[in-house]
Amino acid sequence: MEMTSDFSVNGKFDPSAPPPFRIADVRAAIPKHCWVKDPWRSLSYVLRDVIVVFGLAAIAIYFNSWLVWPFYWAAQGTMFWALFVLGHDCGHGSFSDLPWLNSLVGHLLHSSILVPYHGWRISHRTHHQNHGNVEKDESWVPVPEKVYNELDFTTRFMRFTVPFPLLAYPFYLWWRSPGKSGSHYDPNSDLFTPAERMDVIISTSCWSVMVALLAYLNIVVGPVPMLKIYGVPYMIFVMWLDFVTYLHHHGYDSKVPWYRGEEWNYLRGGLTTIDRDYGLFNDIHHDIGTHVVHHLFPQIPHYHLIEATKAAKPVLGEYYREPKKSGPFPFHLIGYLVRSMKQDHYVSDTGNVVFYKTDPQLYRFFGGKAD
């Protein structure tokens, strides 16, 4: 699709311009079979990942060697992340057309890695319904300048200095992001409607059972073995989650727009998302890096996302940001993350189409507020 001058600035493509196509056009380009959910195929991925998780733990425990533990931590943390992605699919209903199966599998997978399934599912639904909206988005939402200026230096530094943001997820579950209130564990949180409170209670109860089990195992097995078997992989999982989800919406070669008010709509918000190539991890974490089509149509199962994206790209045109090809390990993405953290600090309090701005004082001083 060739862009006209209405979609360019000084001869360059303007990603914030309203696209010359509708979401129905993108939907129509995707083959019908890409929408079909196969619960047996979905369950086969769960079985595969669970076997690998227990196999890795058995190998590490058997050898119990410091030559093995670092490799185990990296591999097992990655597998915890893979389990999260499958639970994420349950939350979207792309796992199957059976709500009871989605809920059962989602609770088992997410509770095992200390994620409150319904609490997260509901807030993640809010993220998808408002992606790219400064005022209503939920995940890695930009901080308005006024809120940014009210943050103390420590909060700013921790939020925008690697590796601290890669440890943010457990804190987000408890307290959300700056400028927002509520907890994913609290059924009375403003994250949820009264009709959703029982779901949240169920999920928080399942999470509590997992916490109790881990506490019991700490007594029986010992805290150091449990730290090696579960604690360190859990932290690696958290780092994977924050790393991947941040890069879904930040750190492209050119800045992506964020919207307010009348300028925002579902399609324009979805087009701010970014696909990423994770090399050999693409299959391991169920192609979660294929993210643009997933954001527009979260009902599509993960095993159809690559085909659906290929079909949608001719319609999306320049609004699709082609991901840089990765080697076996996506080391190139670390540079995108670090650069974005150094540059993307806040957005203007005014304007319905905004881009990230940089606080030039953030890394020059160790106290006080930016001018």
Side-chain angles (χ1 to χ4, degrees), residues 158-202:
M158 296 285 283
R159 181 175 172 83
F160 298 107
T161 306
V162 177
F164 303 115
L166 299 182
L167 305 174
Y169 186 63
F171 301 96
Y172 163 72
L173 289 177
W174 280 105
W175 297 291
R176 296 176 76 191
S177 303
K180 295 179 179 290
S181 62
S183 169
H184 290 74
Y185 302 95
D186 181 4
N188 297 312
S189 168
D190 56 9
L191 274 166
F192 314 118
T193 66
E196 295 167 334
R197 287 173 182 169
M198 183 52 64
D199 284 343
V200 177
I201 290 172
I202 292 171

Side-chain angles (χ1 to χ4, degrees), residues 22-86:
R22 303 167 302 159
I23 194 167
D25 300 324
V26 186
R27 183 189 296 272
I30 298 174
K32 291 183 178 180
H33 68 265
C34 289
W35 303 86
V36 177
K37 308 159 193 174
D38 182 349
W40 292 109
R41 184 172 182 181
S42 296
L43 285 168
S44 73
Y45 287 106
V46 174
L47 179 63
R48 181 193 77 174
D49 288 0
V50 170
I51 289 174
V52 173
V53 165
F54 280 97
L56 288 171
I59 291 171
I61 292 170
Y62 177 79
F63 286 101
N64 191 22
S65 167
W66 286 106
L67 295 176
V68 174
W69 284 116
F71 295 100
Y72 166 76
W73 294 332
Q76 192 71 295
T78 301
M79 292 311 302
F80 281 14
W81 165 234
L83 294 180
F84 176 89
V85 175
L86 292 177

Side-chain angles (χ1 to χ4, degrees), residues 97-276:
D97 286 319
L98 302 169
W100 69 266
L101 181 62
N102 296 334
S103 184
L104 175 63
V105 175
H107 273 99
L108 290 172
L109 294 177
H110 275 192
S111 297
S112 72
I113 50 176
L114 297 178
V115 176
Y117 172 69
H118 280 310
W120 172 86
R121 173 187 65 80
I122 294 166
S123 76
H124 190 66
R125 180 192 64 199
T126 300
H127 165 55
H128 268 258
Q129 291 174 340
N130 299 280
H131 44 210
N133 189 316
V134 173
E135 298 168 325
K136 299 180 181 180
D137 202 346
E138 177 63 28
S139 177
W140 293 112
V141 62
V143 178
E145 186 173 3
K146 180 179 178 181
V147 175
Y148 181 86
N149 287 336
E150 293 173 350
L151 299 176
D152 59 67
F153 173 78
T154 301
T155 301
R156 296 185 204 173
F157 188 82
M158 296 285 283
R159 181 175 172 83
F160 298 107
T161 306
V162 177
F164 303 115
L166 299 182
L167 305 174
Y169 186 63
F171 301 96
Y172 163 72
L173 289 177
W174 280 105
W175 297 291
R176 296 176 76 191
S177 303
K180 295 179 179 290
S181 62
S183 169
H184 290 74
Y185 302 95
D186 181 4
N188 297 312
S189 168
D190 56 9
L191 274 166
F192 314 118
T193 66
E196 295 167 334
R197 287 173 182 169
M198 183 52 64
D199 284 343
V200 177
I201 290 172
I202 292 171
S203 294
T204 300
S205 298
C206 291
W207 177 89
S208 300
V209 169
M210 184 62 188
V211 171
L213 175 61
L214 291 173
Y216 172 75
L217 290 174
N218 265 277
I219 296 172
V220 174
V221 178
V224 173
M226 282 302 298
L227 179 66
K228 292 192 291 186
I229 295 168
Y230 186 91
V232 178
Y234 172 78
M235 296 308 301
I236 299 295
F237 147 65
V238 167
M239 295 177 74
W240 261 116
L241 187 150
D242 286 321
F243 179 70
V244 172
T245 56
Y246 182 87
L247 288 175
H248 284 162
H249 304 277
H250 303 78
Y252 192 63
D253 291 332
S254 56
K255 290 184 180 293
V256 297
W258 290 79
Y259 302 101
R260 290 189 179 100
E262 296 179 353
E263 290 293 340
W264 181 89
N265 61 47
Y266 183 84
L267 175 59
R268 293 178 78 182
L271 295 176
T272 66
T273 58
I274 304 167
D275 278 10
R276 300 291 188 181

Side-chain angles (χ1 to χ4, degrees), residues 259-296:
Y259 302 101
R260 290 189 179 100
E262 296 179 353
E263 290 293 340
W264 181 89
N265 61 47
Y266 183 84
L267 175 59
R268 293 178 78 182
L271 295 176
T272 66
T273 58
I274 304 167
D275 278 10
R276 300 291 188 181
D277 183 8
Y278 290 90
L280 64 84
F281 295 99
N282 287 329
D283 180 65
I284 295 173
H285 66 192
H286 309 293
D287 292 312
I288 193 63
T290 310
H291 208 65
V292 177
V293 165
H294 165 69
H295 247 275
L296 293 175

